[in-house]
Amino acid sequence: MARHEHVRVAVIGSGFGGLGAAVRLRRDGITDFVVLERADSVGGTWRDNDYPGCACDVPSHLYSFSFAPNPDWPRTFSGQRHIRAYLEHVTETFGIRPHIRLNHEVRLMRWIADAAHWEIETSRGIITADVVVSATGALSDPKVPDVPGLDSFPGKVFHSARWDHGYDLRGKRVAVIGTGASAIQIVPAVQPDVARLTLFQRTPPWVMPRADRPISGAERWLHRTVPVTGVARRGLLWGIRELQVQAFTKRPNELGLVERVAKANMARAIKDPALRAKLTPSYRIGCKRILLSSAYYPALARPNVDVVASGLAEVRGSTVVAADGTETEVDAIVFGTGFHVTDMPIAERVVGADGITLAEAWKDGMESLRGSTAAGFPNWMTVVGPNTGLGNSSMILMIEAQLNYLGDYLRTLGSLGAGAALTPRPAAVEAWNRRVQERMKRTVWNTGGCTSWYLDANGRNTTIWPGTTTEFRRATRTVDLGEYDVVRVRDGRTHGKRDGGTHGSTHAKEALR
Protein backbone atom coordinates (compact mmCIF):
# COMPACT_ATOMS: atom_id res chain seq x y z
CA MET A 1 0.00 0.00 0.00
CA ALA A 2 1.28 3.44 -0.92
CA ARG A 3 2.32 5.67 1.95
CA HIS A 4 0.42 8.91 2.40
CA GLU A 5 1.28 12.10 4.20
CA HIS A 6 -0.09 11.96 7.74
CA VAL A 7 -0.68 15.01 9.92
CA ARG A 8 -2.05 15.67 13.35
CA VAL A 9 -4.65 18.14 12.04
CA ALA A 10 -6.05 18.88 8.58
CA VAL A 11 -7.83 22.21 8.17
CA ILE A 12 -10.21 22.52 5.21
CA GLY A 13 -10.43 26.02 3.73
CA SER A 14 -8.33 29.18 3.99
CA GLY A 15 -10.82 31.92 4.73
CA PHE A 16 -11.13 33.60 8.13
CA GLY A 17 -12.06 30.30 9.80
CA GLY A 18 -9.28 28.22 8.28
CA LEU A 19 -6.54 30.79 8.73
CA GLY A 20 -7.74 31.49 12.27
CA ALA A 21 -7.55 27.77 13.06
CA ALA A 22 -4.04 27.61 11.62
CA VAL A 23 -2.89 30.54 13.75
CA ARG A 24 -4.44 28.94 16.84
CA LEU A 25 -2.65 25.66 16.16
CA ARG A 26 0.73 27.36 15.86
CA ARG A 27 0.15 29.46 18.96
CA ASP A 28 -0.67 26.26 20.86
CA GLY A 29 2.58 24.70 19.70
CA ILE A 30 1.04 22.40 17.07
CA THR A 31 2.96 22.56 13.81
CA ASP A 32 2.02 19.16 12.36
CA PHE A 33 -0.93 20.36 10.29
CA VAL A 34 -1.95 21.31 6.76
CA VAL A 35 -4.50 23.74 5.36
CA LEU A 36 -6.20 22.27 2.29
CA GLU A 37 -7.47 24.92 -0.12
CA ARG A 38 -9.25 24.14 -3.39
CA ALA A 39 -8.36 27.48 -5.01
CA ASP A 40 -4.98 28.90 -5.98
CA SER A 41 -4.83 31.48 -3.16
CA VAL A 42 -6.12 32.11 0.34
CA GLY A 43 -9.07 34.32 1.21
CA GLY A 44 -12.24 32.23 1.10
CA THR A 45 -15.32 34.40 0.63
CA TRP A 46 -13.15 37.49 0.21
CA ARG A 47 -11.23 35.86 -2.63
CA ASP A 48 -14.29 34.53 -4.46
CA ASN A 49 -16.51 37.60 -4.14
CA ASP A 50 -14.76 40.30 -6.12
CA TYR A 51 -17.78 41.73 -7.90
CA PRO A 52 -18.04 45.51 -8.45
CA GLY A 53 -18.79 47.32 -5.21
CA CYS A 54 -18.02 44.34 -2.97
CA ALA A 55 -17.47 45.43 0.64
CA CYS A 56 -18.17 44.33 4.19
CA ASP A 57 -21.23 45.44 6.17
CA VAL A 58 -19.43 45.06 9.52
CA PRO A 59 -17.07 47.86 10.64
CA SER A 60 -13.45 47.16 9.75
CA HIS A 61 -12.04 47.23 13.29
CA LEU A 62 -14.56 44.61 14.37
CA TYR A 63 -14.24 42.50 11.23
CA SER A 64 -10.68 41.41 12.00
CA PHE A 65 -8.96 39.06 14.43
CA SER A 66 -8.44 40.36 17.96
CA PHE A 67 -4.92 38.87 17.84
CA ALA A 68 -4.13 40.61 14.54
CA PRO A 69 -5.41 44.20 14.75
CA ASN A 70 -5.00 46.35 11.67
CA PRO A 71 -4.47 50.04 12.48
CA ASP A 72 -4.41 50.94 8.78
CA TRP A 73 -7.94 50.11 7.65
CA PRO A 74 -8.68 52.78 5.01
CA ARG A 75 -12.44 53.02 5.60
CA THR A 76 -14.89 52.39 8.40
CA PHE A 77 -16.40 49.64 6.20
CA SER A 78 -13.64 48.04 4.16
CA GLY A 79 -13.85 46.83 0.60
CA GLN A 80 -13.11 43.34 -0.65
CA ARG A 81 -9.55 43.98 -1.79
CA HIS A 82 -8.50 45.41 1.57
CA ILE A 83 -10.00 42.45 3.47
CA ARG A 84 -8.33 39.99 1.14
CA ALA A 85 -5.02 41.82 1.60
CA TYR A 86 -5.52 41.59 5.36
CA LEU A 87 -5.92 37.80 5.14
CA GLU A 88 -2.76 37.54 3.05
CA HIS A 89 -1.02 39.63 5.72
CA VAL A 90 -2.22 37.28 8.48
CA THR A 91 -0.97 34.31 6.46
CA GLU A 92 2.53 35.79 6.21
CA THR A 93 2.77 37.31 9.70
CA PHE A 94 1.85 34.13 11.54
CA GLY A 95 3.91 31.76 9.39
CA ILE A 96 0.96 29.88 7.89
CA ARG A 97 2.19 29.78 4.29
CA PRO A 98 4.33 26.59 4.62
CA HIS A 99 1.29 24.67 5.90
CA ILE A 100 -1.01 25.61 3.02
CA ARG A 101 -1.70 23.19 0.17
CA LEU A 102 -3.24 25.23 -2.65
CA ASN A 103 -5.23 23.59 -5.45
CA HIS A 104 -6.09 20.71 -3.12
CA GLU A 105 -9.83 20.28 -3.46
CA VAL A 106 -11.24 17.86 -0.89
CA ARG A 107 -13.28 15.21 -2.67
CA LEU A 108 -13.97 12.86 0.23
CA MET A 109 -13.22 12.56 3.95
CA ARG A 110 -13.70 9.12 5.50
CA TRP A 111 -13.28 8.09 9.14
CA ILE A 112 -11.10 4.95 9.35
CA ALA A 113 -12.13 3.39 12.66
CA ASP A 114 -9.36 0.77 12.88
CA ALA A 115 -6.71 3.48 12.60
CA ALA A 116 -8.68 6.21 14.42
CA HIS A 117 -7.91 8.78 11.76
CA TRP A 118 -9.44 10.51 8.76
CA GLU A 119 -8.55 9.58 5.21
CA ILE A 120 -8.86 12.66 3.01
CA GLU A 121 -9.00 12.26 -0.73
CA THR A 122 -7.95 15.45 -2.50
CA SER A 123 -7.48 16.41 -6.13
CA ARG A 124 -3.72 16.00 -5.52
CA GLY A 125 -3.73 12.71 -3.63
CA ILE A 126 -4.57 11.27 -0.22
CA ILE A 127 -3.70 12.73 3.18
CA THR A 128 -4.55 11.20 6.54
CA ALA A 129 -5.15 13.19 9.72
CA ASP A 130 -5.99 12.49 13.35
CA VAL A 131 -8.32 15.49 13.46
CA VAL A 132 -10.20 17.40 10.76
CA VAL A 133 -11.24 21.04 11.14
CA SER A 134 -13.76 21.90 8.44
CA ALA A 135 -13.66 25.65 7.80
CA THR A 136 -15.29 25.82 4.38
CA GLY A 137 -17.84 28.33 5.63
CA ALA A 138 -21.48 28.82 4.74
CA LEU A 139 -20.85 31.32 1.93
CA SER A 140 -18.60 29.22 -0.27
CA ASP A 141 -20.85 27.43 -2.78
CA PRO A 142 -23.09 29.70 -4.89
CA LYS A 143 -26.75 28.85 -5.35
CA VAL A 144 -28.21 29.36 -8.83
CA PRO A 145 -31.94 28.61 -9.18
CA ASP A 146 -33.11 26.04 -11.69
CA VAL A 147 -34.79 28.36 -14.17
CA PRO A 148 -36.49 26.80 -17.22
CA GLY A 149 -34.77 27.86 -20.43
CA LEU A 150 -31.66 29.27 -18.76
CA ASP A 151 -29.38 26.83 -20.58
CA SER A 152 -30.49 28.22 -23.93
CA PHE A 153 -29.93 31.89 -23.05
CA PRO A 154 -27.64 33.28 -25.78
CA GLY A 155 -26.08 36.01 -23.61
CA LYS A 156 -23.79 35.96 -20.58
CA VAL A 157 -24.79 34.34 -17.27
CA PHE A 158 -22.83 34.33 -14.01
CA HIS A 159 -23.25 34.40 -10.24
CA SER A 160 -22.04 37.32 -8.15
CA ALA A 161 -19.49 35.04 -6.45
CA ARG A 162 -18.09 33.96 -9.83
CA TRP A 163 -17.93 37.35 -11.49
CA ASP A 164 -16.74 37.28 -15.10
CA HIS A 165 -14.33 40.21 -15.28
CA GLY A 166 -13.66 39.42 -18.94
CA TYR A 167 -17.20 40.42 -19.87
CA ASP A 168 -17.82 44.15 -20.28
CA LEU A 169 -21.26 45.22 -19.00
CA ARG A 170 -20.94 48.72 -20.43
CA GLY A 171 -23.79 49.52 -22.78
CA LYS A 172 -25.48 46.18 -22.11
CA ARG A 173 -29.01 45.34 -20.99
CA VAL A 174 -28.51 43.57 -17.67
CA ALA A 175 -30.86 41.59 -15.44
CA VAL A 176 -29.88 41.31 -11.78
CA ILE A 177 -31.67 38.48 -9.98
CA GLY A 178 -32.11 38.90 -6.24
CA THR A 179 -32.01 41.71 -3.70
CA GLY A 180 -29.64 40.40 -1.05
CA ALA A 181 -26.37 41.78 0.31
CA SER A 182 -24.47 41.27 -2.96
CA ALA A 183 -27.15 42.67 -5.26
CA ILE A 184 -27.52 45.94 -3.37
CA GLN A 185 -23.80 46.55 -3.85
CA ILE A 186 -23.71 45.44 -7.48
CA VAL A 187 -26.66 47.55 -8.65
CA PRO A 188 -25.23 51.00 -7.77
CA ALA A 189 -21.75 49.92 -8.96
CA VAL A 190 -22.83 48.94 -12.49
CA GLN A 191 -25.91 51.14 -13.00
CA PRO A 192 -24.02 54.17 -14.37
CA ASP A 193 -22.39 52.06 -17.12
CA VAL A 194 -25.14 49.76 -18.37
CA ALA A 195 -27.72 50.71 -21.00
CA ARG A 196 -30.54 49.29 -18.91
CA LEU A 197 -30.69 47.41 -15.61
CA THR A 198 -33.69 45.31 -14.62
CA LEU A 199 -33.81 44.17 -11.01
CA PHE A 200 -35.90 41.09 -10.27
CA GLN A 201 -37.07 41.34 -6.67
CA ARG A 202 -38.97 38.52 -4.99
CA THR A 203 -38.95 40.17 -1.57
CA PRO A 204 -37.78 43.72 -0.84
CA PRO A 205 -35.03 44.03 1.78
CA TRP A 206 -34.83 46.47 4.66
CA VAL A 207 -31.94 48.82 3.83
CA MET A 208 -30.35 51.07 6.44
CA PRO A 209 -28.03 53.97 5.55
CA ARG A 210 -24.37 53.02 5.42
CA ALA A 211 -22.31 55.31 7.64
CA ASP A 212 -19.12 54.74 5.68
CA ARG A 213 -16.26 57.22 5.49
CA PRO A 214 -12.49 57.27 4.99
CA ILE A 215 -10.48 56.73 8.18
CA SER A 216 -8.24 59.74 8.50
CA GLY A 217 -4.47 59.62 8.58
CA ALA A 218 -4.57 61.01 12.13
CA GLU A 219 -6.81 58.15 13.28
CA ARG A 220 -4.55 55.55 11.70
CA TRP A 221 -1.47 57.19 13.19
CA LEU A 222 -3.12 57.11 16.62
CA HIS A 223 -4.02 53.41 16.31
CA ARG A 224 -0.47 52.56 15.21
CA THR A 225 1.19 54.68 17.91
CA VAL A 226 -1.18 53.93 20.78
CA PRO A 227 -2.57 50.42 20.04
CA VAL A 228 -4.95 50.55 23.00
CA THR A 229 -7.01 53.12 21.05
CA GLY A 230 -7.68 50.52 18.37
CA VAL A 231 -8.67 48.03 21.05
CA ALA A 232 -11.03 50.60 22.56
CA ARG A 233 -12.57 51.33 19.16
CA ARG A 234 -13.17 47.63 18.58
CA GLY A 235 -14.61 47.26 22.08
CA LEU A 236 -17.07 50.09 21.53
CA LEU A 237 -18.26 48.63 18.23
CA TRP A 238 -18.67 45.23 19.88
CA GLY A 239 -20.51 46.61 22.91
CA ILE A 240 -23.08 48.49 20.84
CA ARG A 241 -23.93 45.34 18.94
CA GLU A 242 -24.16 43.23 22.10
CA LEU A 243 -26.75 45.65 23.46
CA GLN A 244 -28.79 45.35 20.25
CA VAL A 245 -29.16 41.58 20.56
CA GLN A 246 -32.07 41.71 23.02
CA ALA A 247 -34.30 43.39 20.44
CA PHE A 248 -33.57 40.66 17.88
CA THR A 249 -33.88 37.71 20.25
CA LYS A 250 -36.44 38.68 22.88
CA ARG A 251 -38.24 41.91 22.00
CA PRO A 252 -38.72 42.14 18.20
CA ASN A 253 -41.54 44.68 18.62
CA GLU A 254 -38.94 47.21 19.75
CA LEU A 255 -37.51 47.28 16.22
CA GLY A 256 -40.17 49.71 15.00
CA LEU A 257 -37.84 52.69 15.42
CA VAL A 258 -35.22 50.99 13.26
CA GLU A 259 -37.86 50.45 10.58
CA ARG A 260 -38.60 54.18 10.56
CA VAL A 261 -34.92 54.93 9.97
CA ALA A 262 -34.88 52.49 7.04
CA LYS A 263 -38.05 54.00 5.57
CA ALA A 264 -36.53 57.47 5.82
CA ASN A 265 -33.44 56.18 4.00
CA MET A 266 -35.74 55.04 1.19
CA ALA A 267 -37.85 58.19 1.14
CA ARG A 268 -34.82 60.42 0.63
CA ALA A 269 -34.13 58.82 -2.76
CA ILE A 270 -37.38 57.23 -3.92
CA LYS A 271 -39.96 59.91 -4.71
CA ASP A 272 -42.24 57.79 -6.91
CA PRO A 273 -45.02 56.38 -4.66
CA ALA A 274 -45.49 53.30 -6.85
CA LEU A 275 -41.79 52.42 -6.71
CA ARG A 276 -41.68 53.12 -2.99
CA ALA A 277 -44.57 50.70 -2.49
CA LYS A 278 -42.66 48.01 -4.41
CA LEU A 279 -39.59 48.52 -2.24
CA THR A 280 -41.33 48.58 1.16
CA PRO A 281 -41.08 45.27 3.03
CA SER A 282 -44.16 43.75 4.66
CA TYR A 283 -42.22 41.87 7.37
CA ARG A 284 -40.49 42.98 10.57
CA ILE A 285 -37.02 44.41 10.09
CA GLY A 286 -34.34 41.91 11.09
CA CYS A 287 -36.32 38.86 9.98
CA LYS A 288 -34.12 38.83 6.90
CA ARG A 289 -30.60 40.18 6.97
CA ILE A 290 -30.60 43.97 7.40
CA LEU A 291 -28.66 45.52 4.55
CA LEU A 292 -26.56 48.68 4.58
CA SER A 293 -26.38 51.07 1.64
CA SER A 294 -26.70 54.76 0.93
CA ALA A 295 -26.33 54.21 -2.83
CA TYR A 296 -28.88 51.43 -3.54
CA TYR A 297 -32.06 53.50 -3.53
CA PRO A 298 -30.58 56.41 -5.52
CA ALA A 299 -29.51 53.88 -8.19
CA LEU A 300 -33.00 52.40 -8.37
CA ALA A 301 -34.42 55.88 -8.96
CA ARG A 302 -32.31 56.42 -12.07
CA PRO A 303 -34.12 56.41 -15.46
CA ASN A 304 -32.21 53.38 -16.82
CA VAL A 305 -33.35 51.08 -13.97
CA ASP A 306 -36.55 49.03 -13.75
CA VAL A 307 -37.67 47.11 -10.66
CA VAL A 308 -39.76 44.01 -11.29
CA ALA A 309 -41.47 43.04 -8.05
CA SER A 310 -41.43 39.36 -8.89
CA GLY A 311 -38.94 36.52 -9.15
CA LEU A 312 -37.46 35.15 -12.36
CA ALA A 313 -39.66 32.32 -13.65
CA GLU A 314 -38.45 31.49 -17.14
CA VAL A 315 -35.98 32.36 -19.90
CA ARG A 316 -37.11 32.32 -23.56
CA GLY A 317 -34.16 32.99 -25.78
CA SER A 318 -32.89 36.43 -24.80
CA THR A 319 -36.13 37.25 -22.98
CA VAL A 320 -36.34 36.87 -19.21
CA VAL A 321 -39.83 36.32 -17.85
CA ALA A 322 -40.90 37.14 -14.30
CA ALA A 323 -43.44 35.18 -12.30
CA ASP A 324 -45.94 38.02 -12.83
CA GLY A 325 -45.54 37.73 -16.63
CA THR A 326 -43.23 40.74 -17.12
CA GLU A 327 -40.94 40.17 -20.11
CA THR A 328 -37.58 41.88 -20.61
CA GLU A 329 -34.93 41.54 -23.32
CA VAL A 330 -31.43 41.35 -21.83
CA ASP A 331 -27.85 40.69 -22.86
CA ALA A 332 -26.61 39.41 -19.50
CA ILE A 333 -28.02 37.80 -16.37
CA VAL A 334 -26.30 38.28 -13.01
CA PHE A 335 -27.48 36.04 -10.17
CA GLY A 336 -27.22 37.51 -6.69
CA THR A 337 -29.06 34.53 -5.26
CA GLY A 338 -26.87 33.59 -2.34
CA PHE A 339 -25.26 30.32 -1.29
CA HIS A 340 -25.92 26.78 -0.11
CA VAL A 341 -26.11 27.63 3.59
CA THR A 342 -28.41 25.04 5.20
CA ASP A 343 -27.36 22.33 2.73
CA MET A 344 -23.60 22.82 2.58
CA PRO A 345 -22.12 20.65 -0.21
CA ILE A 346 -19.09 19.74 1.94
CA ALA A 347 -21.47 17.61 4.07
CA GLU A 348 -21.86 15.21 1.15
CA ARG A 349 -18.11 14.55 1.24
CA VAL A 350 -17.78 13.60 4.91
CA VAL A 351 -18.32 9.91 5.81
CA GLY A 352 -18.47 9.17 9.52
CA ALA A 353 -18.07 6.17 11.82
CA ASP A 354 -21.38 4.60 10.79
CA GLY A 355 -20.60 4.79 7.08
CA ILE A 356 -23.10 7.54 6.35
CA THR A 357 -22.35 11.01 5.08
CA LEU A 358 -22.81 14.13 7.14
CA ALA A 359 -25.46 15.18 4.61
CA GLU A 360 -27.40 11.99 5.41
CA ALA A 361 -26.99 12.56 9.14
CA TRP A 362 -28.31 16.09 8.64
CA LYS A 363 -31.16 15.15 6.28
CA ASP A 364 -33.72 16.51 8.77
CA GLY A 365 -31.65 19.63 9.47
CA MET A 366 -28.11 20.54 10.51
CA GLU A 367 -27.28 19.80 14.15
CA SER A 368 -24.04 19.93 16.07
CA LEU A 369 -22.77 20.27 19.62
CA ARG A 370 -21.98 23.91 20.38
CA GLY A 371 -21.86 24.64 16.65
CA SER A 372 -18.67 22.58 16.44
CA THR A 373 -18.88 18.76 16.52
CA ALA A 374 -21.33 16.21 15.09
CA ALA A 375 -22.48 12.89 16.56
CA GLY A 376 -21.01 9.93 14.67
CA PHE A 377 -18.09 11.94 13.30
CA PRO A 378 -15.13 11.44 15.66
CA ASN A 379 -12.31 13.99 15.81
CA TRP A 380 -14.16 16.21 13.32
CA MET A 381 -14.95 19.83 14.00
CA THR A 382 -16.53 22.58 11.98
CA VAL A 383 -15.85 26.30 12.25
CA VAL A 384 -18.93 28.39 11.46
CA GLY A 385 -21.17 25.38 11.93
CA PRO A 386 -24.92 25.11 12.60
CA ASN A 387 -26.47 27.98 14.56
CA THR A 388 -23.29 30.05 14.76
CA GLY A 389 -24.34 32.80 12.34
CA LEU A 390 -25.08 36.35 13.44
CA GLY A 391 -27.69 38.85 12.39
CA ASN A 392 -26.07 42.02 13.67
CA SER A 393 -22.39 41.60 14.54
CA SER A 394 -19.06 40.23 13.36
CA MET A 395 -18.63 36.54 12.55
CA ILE A 396 -14.99 36.87 13.55
CA LEU A 397 -16.14 36.96 17.18
CA MET A 398 -17.89 33.62 16.75
CA ILE A 399 -14.92 32.15 14.91
CA GLU A 400 -12.54 33.11 17.71
CA ALA A 401 -14.89 31.52 20.26
CA GLN A 402 -14.83 28.29 18.26
CA LEU A 403 -11.06 28.46 18.06
CA ASN A 404 -11.00 28.49 21.88
CA TYR A 405 -13.10 25.31 21.78
CA LEU A 406 -10.74 23.79 19.21
CA GLY A 407 -7.74 24.54 21.43
CA ASP A 408 -9.30 22.84 24.46
CA TYR A 409 -10.57 19.97 22.30
CA LEU A 410 -7.04 19.19 21.14
CA ARG A 411 -5.64 19.54 24.67
CA THR A 412 -8.31 17.17 25.95
CA LEU A 413 -7.65 14.72 23.15
CA GLY A 414 -3.91 14.84 23.87
CA SER A 415 -4.49 14.04 27.54
CA LEU A 416 -6.32 10.85 26.57
CA GLY A 417 -3.22 9.39 24.93
CA ALA A 418 -2.44 7.91 21.53
CA GLY A 419 -5.20 6.15 19.63
CA ALA A 420 -8.01 8.12 21.28
CA ALA A 421 -10.86 9.93 19.58
CA LEU A 422 -13.79 12.00 20.78
CA THR A 423 -17.28 11.87 19.38
CA PRO A 424 -20.17 13.89 20.82
CA ARG A 425 -22.93 11.91 22.49
CA PRO A 426 -26.24 12.07 20.60
CA ALA A 427 -28.03 13.01 23.84
CA ALA A 428 -25.72 16.00 24.31
CA VAL A 429 -26.20 17.14 20.71
CA GLU A 430 -29.96 16.77 21.06
CA ALA A 431 -30.04 18.70 24.36
CA TRP A 432 -27.96 21.54 22.96
CA ASN A 433 -30.06 21.92 19.81
CA ARG A 434 -33.37 21.57 21.64
CA ARG A 435 -32.44 24.51 23.83
CA VAL A 436 -31.20 26.55 20.84
CA GLN A 437 -34.48 25.98 19.00
CA GLU A 438 -36.52 26.82 22.12
CA ARG A 439 -34.77 30.18 22.31
CA MET A 440 -35.20 30.67 18.58
CA LYS A 441 -39.00 30.61 18.82
CA ARG A 442 -39.28 34.17 20.12
CA THR A 443 -36.61 35.75 17.91
CA VAL A 444 -37.33 38.10 15.02
CA TRP A 445 -35.85 35.53 12.63
CA ASN A 446 -38.70 33.13 13.46
CA THR A 447 -41.51 35.55 14.27
CA GLY A 448 -40.86 38.41 11.83
CA GLY A 449 -43.14 37.13 9.06
CA CYS A 450 -40.60 36.34 6.35
CA THR A 451 -38.92 33.38 4.67
CA SER A 452 -35.16 33.81 4.76
CA TRP A 453 -32.03 31.87 3.90
CA TYR A 454 -31.60 31.35 7.65
CA LEU A 455 -34.32 28.66 7.45
CA ASP A 456 -33.81 25.16 6.08
CA ALA A 457 -36.22 23.16 3.91
CA ASN A 458 -38.19 22.20 7.01
CA GLY A 459 -38.60 25.81 8.11
CA ARG A 460 -36.17 25.42 11.00
CA ASN A 461 -33.56 28.07 11.71
CA THR A 462 -30.28 26.15 11.67
CA THR A 463 -28.16 29.17 10.80
CA ILE A 464 -28.40 31.93 13.43
CA TRP A 465 -27.17 32.01 17.04
CA PRO A 466 -30.05 33.22 19.25
CA GLY A 467 -27.94 35.09 21.79
CA THR A 468 -24.96 37.35 22.36
CA THR A 469 -21.40 36.61 21.32
CA THR A 470 -20.53 36.71 25.03
CA GLU A 471 -22.91 33.82 25.67
CA PHE A 472 -21.42 31.82 22.82
CA ARG A 473 -17.87 32.48 23.99
CA ARG A 474 -18.82 31.27 27.46
CA ALA A 475 -20.48 28.15 26.01
CA THR A 476 -17.40 27.22 23.96
CA ARG A 477 -14.68 28.09 26.46
CA THR A 478 -13.90 24.47 27.38
CA VAL A 479 -14.77 20.94 26.33
CA ASP A 480 -16.98 18.98 28.72
CA LEU A 481 -16.03 15.30 28.51
CA GLY A 482 -19.48 14.46 29.85
CA GLU A 483 -20.82 15.42 26.44
CA TYR A 484 -18.50 13.02 24.58
CA ASP A 485 -17.79 9.36 24.11
CA VAL A 486 -14.11 8.43 24.14
CA VAL A 487 -13.20 5.98 21.40
CA ARG A 488 -9.89 4.12 21.66
CA VAL A 489 -8.03 1.85 19.29
CA ARG A 490 -6.43 -1.23 20.79
CA ASP A 491 -5.04 -4.15 18.79
CA GLY A 492 -6.52 -2.78 15.60
CA ARG A 493 -10.04 -2.62 17.06
CA THR A 494 -12.07 0.32 18.30
CA HIS A 495 -13.49 0.43 21.82
CA GLY A 496 -16.00 2.99 23.02
CA LYS A 497 -16.30 4.37 26.53
CA ARG A 498 -19.14 6.47 27.87
CA ASP A 499 -18.65 8.81 30.79
CA GLY A 500 -20.60 11.55 32.47
CA GLY A 501 -24.14 10.17 32.83
CA THR A 502 -26.65 12.88 31.91
CA HIS A 503 -24.23 15.71 32.58
CA GLY A 504 -24.11 16.69 28.90
CA SER A 505 -27.78 17.67 28.84
CA THR A 506 -27.49 19.68 32.03
CA HIS A 507 -24.38 21.48 30.80
CA ALA A 508 -26.09 22.43 27.52
CA LYS A 509 -29.01 23.95 29.41
CA GLU A 510 -26.72 25.90 31.73
CA ALA A 511 -24.71 27.28 28.81
CA LEU A 512 -27.83 28.62 27.10
CA ARG A 513 -29.71 29.86 30.15
Side-chain angles (χ1 to χ4, degrees), residues 367-369 373-375 424-434 483:
E367 286 190 341
S368 65
L369 177 59
T373 54
R425 299 178 64 186
V429 176
E430 194 276 334
W432 173 261
N433 284 276
R434 182 176 63 248
E483 295 182 325

Side-chain angles (χ1 to χ4, degrees), residues 429-471:
V429 176
E430 194 276 334
W432 173 261
N433 284 276
R434 182 176 63 248
R435 183 61 178 144
V436 167
Q437 293 304 320
E438 285 174 1
R439 288 186 62 174
M440 198 69 72
K441 290 177 182 178
R442 56 185 174 180
T443 68
V444 69
W445 307 300
N446 280 36
T447 65
C450 73
T451 300
S452 73
W453 57 265
Y454 300 148
L455 309 180
D456 65 16
N458 300 312
R460 194 168 65 134
N461 193 327
T462 57
T463 304
I464 295 293
W465 168 246
T468 64
T469 62
T470 301
E471 289 176 291

Side-chain angles (χ1 to χ4, degrees), residues 80 84 108 215 247 263 309 348 363 366 434 438 485:
Q80 174 265 343
R84 185 177 180 185
L108 187 67
I215 297 177
K263 287 180 178 178
E348 299 174 357
K363 67 181 185 299
M366 300 190 300
R434 182 176 63 248
E438 285 174 1
D485 289 336

Side-chain angles (χ1 to χ4, degrees), residues 176-248:
V176 176
I177 315 301
T179 52
S182 299
I184 71 153
Q185 295 179 342
I186 292 169
V187 167
V190 305
Q191 173 271 320
D193 297 324
V194 302
R196 188 143 210 95
L197 190 151
T198 304
L199 178 67
F200 285 76
Q201 168 194 273
R202 258 191 328 186
T203 308
W206 284 104
V207 183
M208 295 285 286
R210 184 182 180 88
D212 188 27
R213 65 171 179 81
I215 297 177
S216 69
E219 290 174 275
R220 285 181 274 172
W221 174 86
L222 183 63
H223 294 330
R224 280 195 306 270
T225 309
V226 188
V228 70
T229 61
V231 175
R233 184 173 189 159
R234 177 187 176 90
L236 178 61
L237 293 168
W238 165 79
I240 291 171
R241 283 156 180 76
E242 289 289 272
L243 293 173
Q244 294 171 347
V245 170
Q246 292 290 330
F248 287 88

Side-chain angles (χ1 to χ4, degrees), residues 38 78 96 109 120 141 151 205 210 248 297 329 333 345 500:
R38 66 184 178 184
S78 288
I96 307 304
M109 292 179 272
I120 306 166
D141 291 283
D151 289 345
R210 184 182 180 88
F248 287 88
Y297 289 134
E329 292 280 327
I333 302 174

Side-chain angles (χ1 to χ4, degrees), residues 290-444:
I290 299 175
L291 307 180
L292 302 180
S293 178
S294 298
Y296 178 64
Y297 289 134
L300 296 186
R302 300 300 297 167
N304 68 332
V305 176
D306 294 311
V307 177
V308 177
S310 184
L312 178 62
E314 184 183 358
V315 177
R316 300 176 192 154
S318 60
T319 302
V320 289
V321 184
D324 66 1
T326 302
E327 297 185 5
T328 308
E329 292 280 327
V330 298
D331 304 303
I333 302 174
V334 178
F335 284 98
T337 45
F339 301 84
H340 290 275
V341 176
T342 60
D343 58 341
M344 293 186 288
I346 191 67
E348 299 174 357
R349 306 181 187 190
V350 185
V351 181
D354 297 325
I356 65 172
T357 66
L358 186 61
E360 291 170 321
W362 283 352
K363 67 181 185 299
D364 296 324
M366 300 190 300
E367 286 190 341
S368 65
L369 177 59
R370 303 178 186 276
S372 301
T373 54
F377 296 82
N379 286 7
W380 183 90
M381 182 176 295
T382 181
V383 178
V384 189
N387 291 113
T388 60
L390 295 176
N392 75 312
S393 192
S394 172
M395 278 305 301
I396 313 307
L397 301 169
M398 302 295 279
I399 289 172
E400 289 198 32
Q402 289 195 279
L403 298 183
N404 290 339
Y405 196 72
L406 169 63
D408 198 56
Y409 186 97
L410 292 173
R411 282 191 295 272
T412 302
L413 195 59
S415 71
L416 296 173
L422 290 172
T423 183
R425 299 178 64 186
V429 176
E430 194 276 334
W432 173 261
N433 284 276
R434 182 176 63 248
R435 183 61 178 144
V436 167
Q437 293 304 320
E438 285 174 1
R439 288 186 62 174
M440 198 69 72
K441 290 177 182 178
R442 56 185 174 180
T443 68
V444 69

